[in-house]
Amino acid sequence: KLNVKAVNREVKASNITGPVLIDAVNGWIRLENVNSSDIDAATVNGDITFQGPFIDKGVYHFGTHNGAIMLGIPERSNATLSVVTYGGSISSDFAIATQPEAGVNRRRKTYVIGNGSAKVEVESFQGSVRLRRPGNMSEKEREQ
């Protein structure tokens, strides 16, 4: 299990298999080629970038208070994504249906990709959320 706590540092983890828990303050988190069914990555002031598969029945949480979240999602993923942002926008490269949520504003959306097996929570208070195909992530998005 990878367990990282960082203050005023950036965290980059790549080519990892197994559970991941990252808790950061004042730093971005970059996860590349992480093969895990259990990821919890949160930062107070920083962006989060994730590129990797969502494993069926896996549980994922990505959260930041002041930062953007970019997810590079492979085409054949099976995930239900609950996405919320209060001060940013939500954009997606995928032609995926948004599940209606009664009484909830446009800043909260639920997307289902494939059979929806993996559960993915994405929260950014002040930043935007971008759901990208891995090949469509710009160099800037990968570096954030």
Side-chain angles (χ1 to χ4, degrees):
K1 179 175 185 175
L2 176 66
N3 189 345
V4 176
K5 294 186 185 294
V7 177
N8 298 324
R9 299 275 186 213
E10 298 162 345
V11 177
K12 179 180 178 185
S14 59
N15 303 313
I16 294 173
T17 300
V20 174
L21 173 60
I22 299 174
D23 193 8
V25 177
N26 297 326
W28 54 253
I29 298 171
R30 187 179 323 157
L31 301 170
E32 297 174 349
N33 300 318
V34 175
N35 191 358
S36 174
S37 62
D38 183 9
I39 296 176
D40 188 343
T43 181
V44 176
N45 294 308
D47 294 342
I48 298 174
T49 303
F50 171 79
Q51 292 183 61
F54 291 127
I55 296 172
D56 286 354
K57 298 183 183 177
V59 178
Y60 304 84
H61 176 261
F62 304 97
T64 179
H65 187 77
N66 290 314
I69 300 175
M70 287 74 60
L71 302 181
I73 304 169
E75 287 288 335
R76 293 187 178 104
S77 295
N78 294 312
T80 300
L81 294 94
S82 298
V83 181
V84 64
T85 180
Y86 299 97
S89 62
I90 301 170
S91 66
S92 174
D93 286 350
F94 296 90
I96 52 181
T98 302
Q99 300 295 314
E101 296 186 38
V104 178
N105 67 28
R106 63 182 176 85
R107 303 262 186 227
R108 177 182 298 272
K109 295 183 179 179
T110 300
Y111 298 94
V112 177
I113 300 174
N115 68 22
S117 177
K119 303 303 177 208
V120 183
E121 292 182 354
V122 183
E123 302 174 89
S124 178
F125 189 76
Q126 293 291 350
S128 297
V129 174
R130 298 180 199 114
L131 309 177
R132 301 284 184 248
R133 290 180 173 87
N136 289 353
M137 290 183 74
S138 69
E139 189 64 32
K140 182 179 179 183
E141 288 174 325
R142 282 192 295 270
E143 295 298 320
Q144 289 181 330

